[in-house]
């Protein structure tokens, strides 16, 4: 079989691919950008790919596809909902399966799983109606991070320095669906570790002039810095990569994703969250880490796609 015949056979084997993008979550615009980048790369490879926006097309239409490349960020795409739909339709898809996607999307459950597994994550309290905010501040100290547990891209998050600010931030975060937690603030350096298959890619250190790495710092600020190499020695980086991989696998995640963590001033690491459908634009962190590992964007997209074929979920 010559190379051209093998290539044609591979393209046919991959079949018709739905690039799931857009959706109705708060991260819709970022998803559309990520999806467009992935779609263009698949088309450059000669694959039969087309965009599929669940906000504009009936979900039942997915049954006509041979596999799906999920680039839906947030609710409806990263939380197990779309994974469940695709499994019911018997359509292979990229990334983590239903349960792992749901767990990783839920910051509260992720942290509970990590605590049960003995992995380090900042102490936290669930904010509920009637709870004593002053007592929570006494237990965790100040400042605190307030987080809606099921939002991505730092949406609804706030750093607070007083009990009253905690109350106000809770009210804002409560406008989003799901629960809200207050998490002990970690003073130190923030890193992200991209996971591709069984491999942790080179780490990236994030530096921002903002109070924390918020939505604006991620998507519009011009002074946010992404350092890769991250500045750690090889042994320190290896240890944190192993921790990130453990955090990823503890939740049952697979295929690809990204683990965010911090290292405090005493050198202790703290796990923050796992993203099972990270950004895939030319400015996103996973493509940046892949490039540092010697993989161009096409190779990254192909590796993610082929993992869906091999695993079949």
């Amino acid at each position: 079989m010559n190379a051209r015949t093998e290539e044609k056979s591979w393209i046919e084997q991959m079949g018709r691919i739905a690039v799931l993008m857009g959706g109705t979550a708060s991260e819709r615009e970022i998803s559309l950008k990520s999806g467009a980048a992935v779609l263009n790369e698949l088309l450059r490879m000669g694959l039969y790919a087309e965009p599929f926006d669940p906000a504009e097309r009936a979900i039942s239409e997915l049954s006509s596809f041979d596999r799906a490349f999920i680039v839906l960020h947030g609710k409806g795409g990263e939380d197990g909902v779309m994974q469940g739909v695709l499994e019911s339709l018997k359509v292979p898809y990229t990334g983590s399966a239903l349960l792992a996607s749901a767990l990783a999307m839920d910051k509260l459950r992720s942290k509970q799983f990590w605590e049960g597994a003995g992995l380090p994550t900042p102490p936290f309290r669930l904010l509920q109606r009637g709870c004593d905010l002053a007592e929570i501040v006494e237990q965790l100290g100040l400042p605190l991070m307030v987080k809606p547990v099921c939002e991505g891209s730092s949406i609804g998050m706030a750093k607070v320095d007083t009990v009253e600010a905690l109350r106000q931030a809770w009210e804002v975060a409560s406008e989003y669906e799901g629960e809200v937690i207050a998490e002990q603030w970690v003073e130190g350096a923030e890193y992200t570790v991209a996971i591709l298959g069984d491999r942790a890619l080179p780490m990236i250190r994030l530096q921002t002039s903002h109070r924390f790495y918020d939505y604006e710092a991620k998507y519009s600020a011009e002074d946010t810095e992404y350092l890769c190499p991250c500045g750690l020695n090889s042994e320190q980086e290896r240890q944190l990569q192993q921790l990130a991989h453990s955090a990823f696998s503890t939740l049952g995640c697979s295929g690809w994703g990204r683990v965010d963590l911090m290292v405090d001033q005493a050198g202790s690491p703290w796990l923050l969250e796992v993203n099972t459908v990270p950004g895939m634009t030319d400015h996103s962190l996973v493509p940046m880490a892949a490039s540092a590992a010697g993989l161009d964007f096409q190779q990254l997209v192909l590796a993610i796609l082929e993992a869906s074929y091999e695993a079949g979920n």
Side-chain angles (χ1 to χ4, degrees), residues 17 19 37 47 53 68 93 115 127 141 160 193 219 247 278 284 304 310:
I17 304 166
V19 179
L47 291 162
D53 188 343
Y93 55 87
E115 284 187 333
L127 299 180
V160 300
V193 184
Y219 300 117
S284 295
I304 295 169
E310 293 165 4

Side-chain angles (χ1 to χ4, degrees), residues 106 108-109 112 126-128 147-151 170 173-174 176-181:
D106 189 322
L108 172 60
R109 272 76 197 180
Q112 290 170 334
L126 180 64
L127 299 180
Q128 298 174 297
K147 299 180 176 181
V149 302
C150 292
E151 291 292 333
W170 180 21
S174 296
Y176 297 93
E177 187 178 339
E179 296 163 303
V180 180
I181 60 172

